[in-house]
Amino acid sequence: MNNLIIDAANKKICLSLIKDKNIYSISYENSKTNYEKLTILINEFINQHDLKIDEISKLYVNRGPGSFAGIRNSLSVVKAIFVAKKIDYYCFSFNDFGDFNDCKYENVPSLCEKFNVKKNLINPIYIS
């Protein structure tokens, strides 16, 4: 099972890939230029680890709180992947996990399951 975690809600765009039992991560400057090429950054990242988008089992995207532009763009990309490839996604917030102390990207899939984060539901949290 290959899971891709996308977080563009904060100061950096962070991508994490859980491939089999290996965890790969990369981050980029959170800028307008990188928002515009988020799909390219994602494709390059998964291609570096010998995967194609069709081989991703589930997508996880941070829904905030955070930057309006970052959240909007990452949710749009994830929704487009869902429509094109039928890959289920989970919109999470670290706030969903309560006081859980081990909120690392590699734990997001199990935390979403533990805290019953609903599949294919978008409910962004923007900072005003």
Side-chain angles (χ1 to χ4, degrees):
M1 186 175 275
N2 302 313
N3 296 319
L4 179 63
I5 301 154
I6 303 167
D7 183 354
N10 299 299
K11 293 182 181 182
K12 291 195 176 270
I13 297 171
C14 298
L15 304 175
S16 291
L17 176 66
I18 302 170
K19 181 183 175 187
D20 302 318
K21 295 189 180 199
N22 298 313
I23 300 163
Y24 307 99
S25 296
I26 194 165
S27 63
Y28 301 93
E29 178 186 351
N30 204 344
S31 67
K32 181 181 177 185
T33 304
N34 283 339
Y35 288 150
E36 292 173 356
K37 62 180 186 176
L38 184 58
T39 305
I40 295 167
L41 296 174
I42 290 169
N43 277 325
E44 288 175 351
F45 176 62
I46 61 174
N47 288 339
Q48 287 173 354
H49 301 291
D50 300 319
L51 286 177
K52 295 181 180 169
I53 198 71
D54 293 332
E55 297 172 289
I56 299 296
S57 307
K58 293 179 184 168
L59 298 163
Y60 297 85
V61 60
N62 188 348
R63 64 184 179 94
S67 156
F68 175 80
I71 294 169
R72 180 193 64 210
N73 288 337
S74 58
L75 291 175
S76 297
V77 167
V78 166
K79 186 69 175 178
I81 293 170
F82 170 73
V83 168
K85 301 294 184 179
K86 304 298 182 224
I87 300 170
D88 286 328
Y89 61 89
Y90 296 82
C91 292
F92 71 93
S93 169
F94 285 110
N95 295 342
D96 294 337
F97 308 140
D99 292 333
F100 196 78
N101 294 329
D102 204 14
C103 291
K104 298 177 185 169
Y105 289 118
E106 60 263 23
N107 296 329
V108 166
S110 61
L111 289 170
C112 284
E113 186 175 326
K114 178 179 179 173
F115 288 92
N116 295 318
V117 173
K118 292 192 185 327
K119 174 173 68 171
N120 303 339
L121 176 67
I122 295 175
N123 189 14
I125 305 169
Y126 302 117
I127 295 176
S128 49

